Amino acid sequence: MSIIVPSYNKAGFIKDTIESVLKQTNQNFEIVLVDDNSSDETRSILREFNGNEKIKIHLNETNKGGNYCRNTGISMAKGKYIIFLDADDLMMENCIEQRLSFMEKNTDCDFAVFKMGTFYQQVGDRDKIWQTHSKIDHLQKFLSHELQWTISSPIYKKRFLDQTTGFNLKMRWLQDVEFHSRILLTQNPVYRIAEDSIPDIYYRVGLERNAHGYDRYIRNYVTGHLDYLTNVYPLLQNQNQHHLKALKFTILSCLFKITDSWKQKLVDKEIALKLTDEYLNSKQVREVLGNGDMIKIKVYLLVNKTVGFRIKGINRLIKTIF
């Protein structure tokens, strides 16, 4: 088992993350940690683990992004299976034991998906659980931006990951969303949902949007959506209309996010409206939306611009008429 940990400026969390892996009930693992040229105290903390035979550390000389780090980790990994773990998240003691047991009973699987918990400062301070179910069109959900699992939810066979093109180096945001969408579209994987699992990795919520301000967060969010459309839309050209229609809901979800950001006074209204206009006039959005779709969206935006408060149910309503 290889646990791949990409790291960038996580000095406040990286030690706890590593130690959460080292406490596993099943000790048949290696940690492959790829640091992306951190400028904080991360590297001095990593030196504390020098000599630990379970930990491989690779230090990038320049900042190359999280996906480069994940791909480097895949190439360095020696385990039969791989789990990705972000450098500020926590692994429960039973994680490897639970996931290996499932894969050994489902040997045909390329990957399996497990429940994940979420937290703010400490495990137990948030109730939200990332989970999905077997009787769902997971590709349809990802294309609609109804995300069914996150980066650490799956355990992969390394052999399967080696057969893919890896993580997309052009993606700075929505990196795992693009990856999961792409492998479901192109790899025809055999996978199962571990519906009876208990959450065995906990995802830390809210750091990015709070660290740099919401203006930067929402701009990055929009850029990530445009990059997602750039990479996924061409893969849908030979797909059914059901999947093409689903991609429209990814566009709507981004518009809802921008609109809600100024309705909640998280960003200036004029900034949000300009961002909306740039998004709707982008090549990526116009490739997906027809003229009728644009008319519906413009009516939605006009109503929102006229009314200075959030209208309960309007987002749900606009989705029903698409």
Side-chain angles (χ1 to χ4, degrees):
M1 170 70 75
S2 298
I3 313 299
I4 296 177
V5 183
S7 170
Y8 178 68
N9 285 354
K10 299 294 185 182
F13 311 105
I14 188 67
K15 186 173 183 179
D16 287 343
T17 297
I18 293 172
E19 289 180 346
S20 76
V21 182
L22 294 175
K23 292 176 181 177
Q24 291 298 296
T25 55
N26 185 321
Q27 287 285 302
N28 186 20
F29 67 85
E30 64 174 359
I31 299 173
V32 182
L33 194 145
V34 184
D35 182 69
D36 201 21
N37 197 33
S38 291
S39 58
D40 63 0
E41 295 301 311
T42 294
R43 293 196 171 184
S44 65
I45 293 170
L46 294 181
R47 283 195 288 272
E48 298 177 24
F49 296 95
N50 284 346
N52 190 313
E53 295 181 353
K54 287 191 174 294
I55 305 176
K56 298 177 182 176
I57 298 176
H58 177 86
L59 305 176
N60 291 344
E61 294 182 359
T62 59
N63 184 265
K64 296 179 178 294
N67 278 350
Y68 179 93
C69 295
R70 293 184 185 98
N71 289 343
T72 299
I74 293 171
S75 66
M76 292 175 60
K78 300 299 183 184
K80 180 179 179 181
Y81 301 104
I82 285 176
I83 297 172
F84 297 100
L85 181 68
D86 285 348
D88 52 5
D89 295 342
L90 298 174
M91 183 175 279
M92 299 296 99
E93 292 181 2
N94 70 317
C95 178
I96 292 177
E97 181 177 354
Q98 174 174 240
R99 297 194 183 193
L100 280 180
S101 175
F102 187 91
M103 292 299 282
E104 288 167 0
K105 294 174 183 175
N106 296 272
T107 57
D108 60 325
C109 283
D110 295 312
F111 66 90
V113 179
F114 288 75
K115 294 177 185 176
M116 275 185 59
T118 60
F119 72 109
Y120 293 112
Q121 299 298 327
Q122 59 185 17
V123 172
D125 65 8
R126 191 171 191 261
D127 295 332
K128 168 72 176 178
I129 301 294
W130 277 90
Q131 61 182 328
T132 187
H133 302 285
S134 298
K135 295 180 180 180
I136 287 177
D137 184 341
H138 300 108
L139 173 57
Q140 177 80 2
K141 292 293 187 180
F142 271 108
L143 294 173
S144 302
H145 205 70
E146 297 178 33
L147 308 184
Q148 297 299 292
W149 57 80
T150 185
I151 187 67
S152 296
S153 303
I155 174 175
Y156 296 96
K157 282 182 179 174
K158 184 180 189 298
R159 182 178 61 193
F160 171 73
L161 291 177
D162 287 340
Q163 292 169 352
T164 73
T165 55
F167 287 84
N168 188 335
L169 299 184
K170 295 179 181 179
M171 296 292 296
R172 301 294 291 188
W173 276 59
L174 302 185
Q175 296 172 341
D176 56 321
V177 180
E178 187 273 341
F179 178 74
H180 295 140
S181 300
R182 176 161 41 87
I183 63 172
L184 290 174
L185 269 168
T186 63
Q187 299 297 132
N188 194 28
V190 176
Y191 68 99
R192 290 189 177 86
I193 309 301
E195 297 197 44
D196 295 331
S197 65
I198 60 174
D200 55 13
I201 291 178
Y202 277 76
Y203 169 81
R204 190 182 299 268
V205 174
L207 291 175
E208 181 66 31
R209 68 192 68 180
N210 293 331
H212 305 292
Y214 211 90
D215 277 14
R216 179 172 172 181
Y217 166 76
I218 198 67
R219 290 180 186 279
N220 286 336
Y221 185 87
V222 172
T223 299
H225 271 254
L226 290 173
D227 289 342
Y228 178 81
L229 294 174
T230 296
N231 287 282
V232 172
Y233 178 70
L235 301 177
L236 289 169
Q237 297 308 295
N238 296 320
Q239 296 287 322
N240 60 48
Q241 292 299 310
H242 188 57
H243 286 151
L244 280 169
K245 181 179 179 181
L247 205 57
K248 295 179 182 182
F249 292 108
T250 278
I251 294 172
L252 287 178
S253 72
C254 189
L255 289 174
F256 295 162
K257 190 83 166 182
I258 300 171
T259 301
D260 287 347
S261 71
W262 70 262
K263 292 275 183 165
Q264 298 176 54
K265 303 187 186 306
L266 296 170
V267 299
D268 183 78
K269 180 178 178 179
E270 294 307 313
I271 292 175
L273 292 176
K274 182 180 179 182
L275 200 56
T276 298
D277 188 60
E278 291 172 356
Y279 182 65
L280 285 178
N281 284 297
S282 67
K283 176 178 177 290
Q284 298 94 319
V285 169
R286 289 194 169 274
E287 281 182 330
V288 178
L289 296 182
N291 291 333
D293 299 323
M294 293 298 290
I295 291 171
K296 295 171 189 175
I297 285 175
K298 287 179 179 179
V299 171
Y300 162 79
L301 293 173
L302 179 62
V303 171
N304 269 292
K305 186 177 179 180
T306 305
V307 180
F309 54 86
R310 297 180 74 189
I311 305 172
K312 186 176 180 179
I314 190 171
N315 290 357
R316 192 182 308 112
L317 175 64
I318 193 69
K319 289 182 75 171
T320 63
I321 63 175
F322 259 76

